[in-house]
Amino acid sequence: MTLITSTGASVLDRIAASRTASTYRPAGVSAQAANAAAKAASTTSSSGPTRVTLDAADASDLVYAKPRAPGFGPQRFWANARDDGLSELMTRNSGKDAVSLADRWRGLGSGLLKQLADTGAAYKQTLADYVPGADAAGAVGASDGTSGTDASATAAAAAALQEQALGGVSTNAAEVNLTIQTRSGHTVELKIGVNNGDQGGTRGLQVEVKSSGALSSAERKALADLGDGLDSALEGLGEGAPTLDLSKLMAFDRGGVLSGLDLKVENPNAPADVPGAMRAFSLHLGTDTKSVSMRTTSGEMNLEVDATPPKGAATNGQRWTAIDQLLKQIDAAADRGHADAAMTKSFKDAFQQLQAPPVDEDPSSASSVAKAVAKNDGQPIAINASAGGADEVAPVTPPMSDGLRSQVQSLQSGLADFKASFSADSQRTSRIGSIQEAGHADYRISQTTTDRPNTATGGRSISQAQTEEMDAHYEKSRTFTLDRAKGNYDAYTVKDSKTVTTLIDTVKDSVSRALRKTDEHRQKSFSQIENFKATEHNEWPSQRSVTERLR
């Protein structure tokens, strides 16, 4: 037998012990032992030692501490009394070592999706770790008696305390919202709320997953398969300096039963004095477009990529070569504008992952080409409302032969059409941590491809334009620390723009003409500032315009 004693137990102690045992079981404590502890705690007297007697089998599993009265110390509350793996995971993620959002999110995304996949049933749970203030402690502690009136007042106070604690978890919480659309028309919603308790709310976790209708076995499997991808994405976003790991989520529709995915994260508690801390993130994966946006304490970025393969879709090898070339182009622009390194890295990671070809299918394969033809060329009639209200039939664009497709793809960039930008403040520090340089950069890059019938040749007229702009300024210290307030520093500005346009004309099965035009404008300026006045100023403008004949 095991004897655990304590002194000074009150009615509040018995209520807290009963509630804690019935609604919260830490990982590693058996349900039988927890129930035994709850029963024993609820039947002890209001004074003298508290005696808890356990069977030997139970004693080996249970670690029991006399619960404190509500209002006098940390309290743990659960919205639902459950004995399951998700509740145990929430307990683990609420431990003292769980500090970052990554710690608090770990495994919950995949666990919730697996829960829905395994059972088909909705799930909702809230855990609150509540530390009441002095006012709450006094209000609850005032009813420490044994009469029926006092017991009722104590029970009401304890219930109010629990309701207040659980309700406070959603106040100023960091929220994850995942919405998945199935091709059958159902909507799956997953939510995770994390509160650190520093912004007026209650420290705790809140999770939920549900579906608008019954899911097929294939849909359930597709949800379960998304678990690792969701965990990887949240793991990267939840670190102090967010990183993007979206590659597994990009394959969300391998089974062909899902039609769309939207992931949104809001973090209202991002510390304003920490450069690059994540405030908001969103990912959209649809049949037409893929997009990523992220807002941090330093700035924001937005990317959108056409999800449909362009005419003359590139092979995987050409796509990866094109991605690598464009990433180098982004690096060169960021280096010239002294853009924020963390934002530039996130921007490049997002671009690469949105543009990457599917891992399980080569766009040059027969099935992929057939899909592209069906999507882009297999719609001979386009209906448009004319001014007179009658329908117009757009000219038919003839499908590409394999030979023509190969010729066209060799002349194009190899990338899906896109538009992307970032805007961010930047800092560069010395070895001792002092700020030596600060600035701001705006960067934009995009690609647009058009394909029209060419009635003169009986073929096509294809145009692909890629534009790039960098507008930046930064100030550098001439000593050890930048001090703009004293008006002594070196100021730089960068204003660059570049447009590359590829024009392709085809006949029935070959390219008849291909041109590439490049227009580039670059300007960098320097000003030496002394006592807020420019004592020296220099500019280095350059301009280039070139036309190349490719065919």
Side-chain angles (χ1 to χ4, degrees):
M1 305 292 284
T2 300
L3 176 65
I4 302 172
T5 63
S6 62
T7 59
S10 67
V11 174
L12 291 175
D13 296 327
R14 297 197 298 275
I15 292 172
S18 177
R19 185 180 306 280
T20 302
S22 63
T23 60
Y24 166 53
R25 180 176 68 82
V29 178
S30 70
Q32 182 183 7
N35 291 336
K39 182 178 180 181
S42 65
T43 57
T44 54
S45 64
S46 61
S47 62
T50 298
R51 183 179 300 271
V52 180
T53 303
L54 304 175
D55 292 336
D58 294 335
S60 63
D61 292 333
L62 178 64
V63 177
Y64 177 79
K66 182 180 78 67
R68 298 172 180 172
F72 289 95
Q75 303 292 311
R76 172 159 287 181
F77 299 110
W78 293 85
N80 302 292
R82 283 200 175 102
D83 182 10
D84 57 47
L86 275 169
S87 293
E88 291 189 357
L89 185 57
M90 293 172 70
T91 300
R92 186 198 73 183
N93 289 7
S94 297
K96 64 180 181 179
D97 295 328
V99 178
S100 67
L101 282 174
D103 297 331
R104 308 296 302 281
W105 283 332
R106 189 160 293 127
L108 287 176
S110 60
L112 288 165
L113 289 176
K114 188 176 186 300
Q115 166 75 21
L116 184 60
D118 288 346
T119 68
Y123 182 95
K124 188 175 183 179
Q125 179 65 287
T126 302
L127 177 156
D129 287 320
Y130 185 69
V131 181
D135 293 342
V140 179
S143 299
D144 188 9
T146 58
S147 68
T149 301
D150 287 344
S152 297
T154 300
L161 180 65
Q162 176 169 350
E163 182 178 358
Q164 176 186 353
L166 293 171
V169 173
S170 61
T171 302
N172 295 322
E175 295 185 347
V176 173
N177 288 276
L178 176 68
T179 303
I180 301 169
Q181 300 291 339
T182 71
R183 295 190 186 277
S184 64
H186 296 313
T187 301
V188 174
E189 295 180 90
L190 179 151
K191 298 180 180 180
I192 304 174
V194 172
N195 201 320
N196 58 17
D198 295 337
Q199 302 296 324
T202 305
R203 187 179 192 273
L205 280 170
Q206 197 166 47
V207 301
E208 181 179 6
V209 66
K210 61 183 179 180
S211 173
S212 63
L215 301 173
S216 67
S217 58
E219 289 169 339
R220 291 190 187 188
K221 182 180 184 304
L223 292 180
D225 289 344
L226 279 176
D228 287 345
L230 179 58
D231 283 348
S232 295
L234 294 180
E235 185 82 13
L237 292 171
E239 297 296 343
T243 59
L244 301 185
D245 187 356
L246 312 175
S247 56
K248 292 180 182 178
L249 281 182
M250 293 298 169
F252 78 102
D253 193 31
R254 283 184 182 176
V257 297
L258 306 180
S259 61
L261 179 152
D262 287 275
L263 174 63
K264 296 182 179 180
V265 180
E266 295 284 343
N267 180 25
N269 303 317
D273 58 344
V274 177
M278 185 200 63
R279 285 179 169 162
F281 171 86
S282 68
L283 168 69
H284 169 74
L285 300 176
T287 56
D288 296 326
T289 61
K290 299 180 288 186
S291 64
V292 167
S293 67
M294 185 169 71
R295 182 163 46 90
T296 73
T297 51
S298 297
E300 63 180 311
M301 69 174 189
N302 296 278
L303 301 92
E304 182 176 314
V305 174
D306 190 347
T308 60
K311 294 179 174 66
T315 62
N316 282 2
Q318 185 187 1
R319 174 68 67 87
W320 281 117
T321 298
I323 291 171
D324 183 62
Q325 290 176 345
L326 195 123
L327 295 181
K328 292 177 180 178
Q329 189 173 327
I330 295 171
D331 273 335
D335 183 64
R336 184 169 163 83
H338 285 216
D340 179 65
M343 181 62 75
T344 301
K345 181 181 184 305
S346 294
F347 185 77
K348 290 167 55 183
D349 289 344
F351 184 88
Q352 176 176 313
Q353 292 174 60
L354 287 181
Q355 284 281 357
V359 296
D360 56 350
E361 183 178 39
D362 188 325
S364 64
S365 67
S367 61
S368 181
V369 169
K371 291 178 184 178
V373 170
K375 183 89 176 175
N376 298 295
D377 302 321
Q379 300 178 359
I381 298 178
I383 305 299
N384 298 301
S386 65
D391 290 337
E392 293 182 352
V393 179
V396 175
T397 304
M400 286 188 184
S401 64
D402 291 343
L404 180 56
R405 179 174 292 103
S406 177
Q407 294 177 61
V408 169
Q409 74 182 28
S410 67
L411 298 170
Q412 294 181 311
S413 71
L415 299 170
D417 284 350
F418 66 92
K419 55 182 178 181
S421 64
F422 71 77
S423 176
D425 297 329
S426 62
Q427 290 184 357
R428 297 190 179 188
T429 58
S430 67
R431 288 179 296 177
I432 61 173
S434 62
I435 298 175
Q436 290 188 309
E437 176 185 309
H440 182 88
D442 292 306
Y443 181 72
R444 294 168 295 278
I445 189 167
S446 64
Q447 176 185 290
T448 304
T449 305
T450 60
D451 189 342
R452 300 183 179 88
N454 187 328
T455 56
T457 64
R460 305 166 180 266
S461 289
I462 302 171
S463 173
Q464 187 173 82
Q466 192 178 105
T467 62
E468 181 184 26
E469 296 180 3
M470 169 60 79
D471 193 348
H473 67 83
Y474 55 95
E475 292 76 45
K476 296 180 66 174
S477 170
R478 291 193 291 270
T479 58
F480 295 104
T481 303
L482 176 64
D483 190 350
R484 290 167 168 156
K486 293 183 179 179
N488 295 291
Y489 52 85
D490 292 336
Y492 297 82
T493 62
V494 174
K495 193 171 184 65
D496 297 343
S497 65
K498 182 179 180 181
T499 300
V500 178
T501 304
T502 302
L503 303 172
I504 303 171
D505 288 326
T506 74
V507 291
K508 184 176 181 181
D509 290 320
S510 65
V511 173
S512 60
R513 185 183 66 156
L515 300 174
R516 180 166 294 146
K517 298 180 179 179
T518 302
D519 292 299
E520 184 176 23
H521 302 267
R522 292 161 62 98
Q523 180 169 315
K524 186 173 184 177
S525 66
F526 162 80
S527 296
Q528 182 173 290
I529 308 298
E530 294 183 1
N531 296 322
F532 300 101
K533 295 182 180 180
T535 59
E536 181 181 343
H537 181 78
N538 292 299
E539 294 185 358
W540 297 274
S542 65
Q543 182 172 331
R544 182 171 69 100
S545 184
V546 178
T547 300
E548 306 171 73
R549 189 173 185 88
L550 306 176
R551 290 285 178 91

